[in-house]
Amino acid sequence: MTNIIAIANQKGGVGKTSTAINLSASIAAAEYTTLLIDIDPQANSTHGLGLYDNDKTVYEVLIGNERLEDCIVNTYMPNLDILPSDIDLVGAEVEIVSFENREKLLREAIKEAEINYDYIIIDCPPSLSLLTLNALTAAD
């Protein structure tokens, strides 16, 4: 069974991204398959793992244009993958506000990929937004 953990706090600068990256890397180093989901439009987890200019991100997953599996990027570290983010995610909240079950979009998307991972870590934005609500709804 996959363990899904959301790292959230309404304040910025409290170590959410550092915790998410280091926890994900540590779990992967222990040889557990791990997916880090960056659901913060600032994309600090994505950049922290050295990824820039990604064509497919969590934005496309949330608005329904792509399947989660098609947006996952393998990292330089064995057992650690990432679903990257970028600044386009800022517009996702406006776009998904009218969607039915909008707070469960990430949870539904994760169901498809869950079988491939022991742990899924979600790095949240520094606000109580629809993005954070999606992460908290998806988490155990």
Side-chain angles (χ1 to χ4, degrees), residues 10-138:
Q10 287 184 279
K11 187 176 182 325
V14 297
K16 291 180 302 297
T17 298
S18 296
T19 300
I21 290 173
N22 287 310
L23 181 61
S24 298
S26 296
I27 293 169
E31 299 184 357
Y32 290 100
T33 54
T34 307
L35 174 63
L36 174 58
I37 297 177
D38 189 355
I39 199 162
D40 184 350
Q42 296 177 64
N44 289 326
S45 284
T46 302
H47 299 157
L49 292 179
L51 300 172
Y52 298 88
D53 302 321
N54 299 288
D55 293 332
K56 298 177 182 179
T57 67
V58 67
Y59 169 77
E60 283 78 19
V61 173
L62 289 176
I63 64 167
N65 285 352
E66 294 285 346
R67 291 182 31 219
L68 186 133
E69 293 89 355
D70 296 331
C71 299
I72 292 172
V73 177
N74 298 33
T75 68
Y76 58 88
M77 185 172 189
N79 297 312
L80 179 58
D81 295 337
I82 185 169
L83 176 58
S85 179
D86 68 8
I87 194 67
D88 290 344
L89 192 55
V90 169
E93 286 199 78
V94 175
E95 293 181 50
I96 67 175
V97 75
S98 62
F99 287 19
E100 190 173 323
N101 294 317
R102 62 186 169 266
E103 71 282 356
K104 298 177 183 172
L105 296 172
L106 185 60
R107 185 172 83 184
E108 291 302 314
I110 286 174
K111 282 183 181 179
E112 299 174 25
E114 224 174 332
I115 195 166
N116 299 321
Y117 297 98
D118 298 311
Y119 288 88
I120 297 175
I121 309 298
I122 308 169
D123 183 24
C124 298
S127 64
L128 186 55
S129 64
L130 197 47
L131 296 173
T132 303
L133 186 57
N134 262 273
L136 294 174
T137 303

